[in-house]
Amino acid sequence: MENTTAHQQLSDDELDRLGDFLDSIGNQSLNIEFLDGYFAALICGPDVVFASEYLPNMWGKGVVFGSGEQATDITDLLTRHWSAISSELERTLHEPEVYLPILLEREDGVTPANDWVHGFMRAVQMRPDSWSELIDNEDNGGAMVPIMMLHHEHDPDPQMRPPEITPEKREHVLETMIAGLTHIYRYFEPHRRASAGMALRRSFQREAQKIGRNEACPCGSGKKFKHCCLNQSPTLH
């Protein structure tokens, strides 16, 4: 039976608990909105990136949990939020759905979304060469335009800043950005499948080093390892 709890969106209380932990790290740019954009880019992107790489990239290497219980709780919340985003984006492959990102609204009613796109671009910058295929693509790169606009809105370099984004224009930019996420996810789907296959082969090769040639093959075929999957790509039997 599928574990549907893993794909459920976090409740407001759970988001607050996760947000409080991110605030406690001491990085002013790191909040729940940044996390959501960061995860969305990793899930949409062309390469499989493991938590052992993307978590230190997001919050640094000096993060210390207050207790084992807190570590377990935060890990569970991160995993569930990742799964919820992944599930919603996967649905866009087959249904006319979009992923609605977590965007924080200011007291004046404006939703800047700058933190979200900063998180998204932090993930993009982990694999710039892979993402450049989309960014430089004349037919499909438009999906990145609203993200880049908001990312550079307050850039120290005036030449990098887009024209002023009025409240009315911002609303349109956000709508375009949200619709573009579906396009980005679909565009990189073949790349993700290939990347996942390579990761599976590397994992299989590491495990293969621990299995004797005359032992039963771990694939369950009933054959000896040397007569089955040894020196072969993993297959389904």
Side-chain angles (χ1 to χ4, degrees):
M1 180 179 295
E2 183 182 3
N3 184 3
T4 56
T5 302
H7 301 293
Q8 291 178 351
Q9 294 183 354
L10 299 185
S11 67
D12 290 342
D13 288 342
E14 290 171 328
L15 286 172
D16 288 342
R17 194 160 74 242
L18 182 55
D20 289 343
F21 171 76
L22 296 175
D23 291 341
S24 73
I25 293 175
N27 185 339
Q28 294 183 350
S29 65
L30 182 56
N31 57 26
I32 195 69
E33 181 178 306
F34 183 101
L35 171 72
D36 192 78
Y38 187 71
F39 275 12
L42 290 168
I43 293 167
C44 282
D47 301 320
V48 174
V49 184
F50 295 101
S52 58
E53 179 182 359
Y54 67 69
L55 287 180
N57 178 270
M58 179 180 69
W59 60 34
K61 298 182 179 180
V63 174
V64 178
F65 294 99
S67 64
E69 290 78 7
Q70 185 189 44
T72 299
D73 180 48
I74 296 302
T75 299
D76 176 66
L77 294 177
L78 289 169
T79 301
R80 285 177 52 205
H81 190 53
W82 176 288
S83 296
I85 298 174
S86 180
S87 178
E88 289 299 308
L89 284 169
E90 187 176 2
R91 287 177 60 189
T92 68
L93 295 176
H94 315 289
E95 303 175 26
E97 301 284 346
V98 295
Y99 174 68
L100 298 178
I102 296 177
L103 303 177
L104 304 179
E105 184 178 299
R106 294 192 317 220
E107 293 182 358
D108 60 3
V110 175
T111 303
N114 298 111
D115 288 341
W116 192 92
V117 297
H118 293 335
F120 193 97
M121 290 304 298
R122 171 73 72 83
V124 169
Q125 290 158 5
M126 294 179 67
R127 296 290 189 274
D129 292 339
S130 298
W131 277 87
S132 65
E133 177 183 327
L134 172 62
I135 295 172
D136 298 335
N137 188 297
E138 294 184 1
D139 296 327
N140 300 284
M144 291 293 296
V145 170
I147 295 173
M148 301 293 285
M149 286 177 61
L150 293 171
H151 180 59
H152 292 292
E153 182 178 10
H154 305 294
D155 198 291
D157 184 354
Q159 295 185 348
M160 295 295 295
R161 297 177 205 153
E164 180 184 0
I165 303 176
T166 64
E168 294 77 15
K169 185 177 181 180
R170 187 179 301 277
E171 185 174 343
H172 175 70
V173 170
L174 293 182
E175 291 175 354
T176 306
M177 180 189 78
I178 292 171
L181 286 176
T182 299
H183 185 83
I184 295 170
Y185 186 80
R186 290 174 176 173
Y187 179 85
F188 280 130
E189 174 64 7
H191 301 68
R192 285 191 300 275
R193 290 185 179 275
S195 179
M198 291 178 62
L200 178 61
R201 285 193 291 272
R202 287 195 295 268
S203 176
F204 183 85
Q205 288 167 359
R206 288 194 298 269
E207 290 301 315
Q209 295 175 359
K210 305 175 185 178
I211 303 171
R213 290 170 55 84
N214 291 313
E215 294 181 23
C217 186
C219 73
S221 64
K223 300 178 182 178
K224 290 185 177 180
F225 185 47
K226 65 182 179 181
H227 295 312
C228 191
C229 289
L230 181 62
N231 299 323
Q232 298 180 24
S233 298
T235 57
L236 297 177
H237 294 266

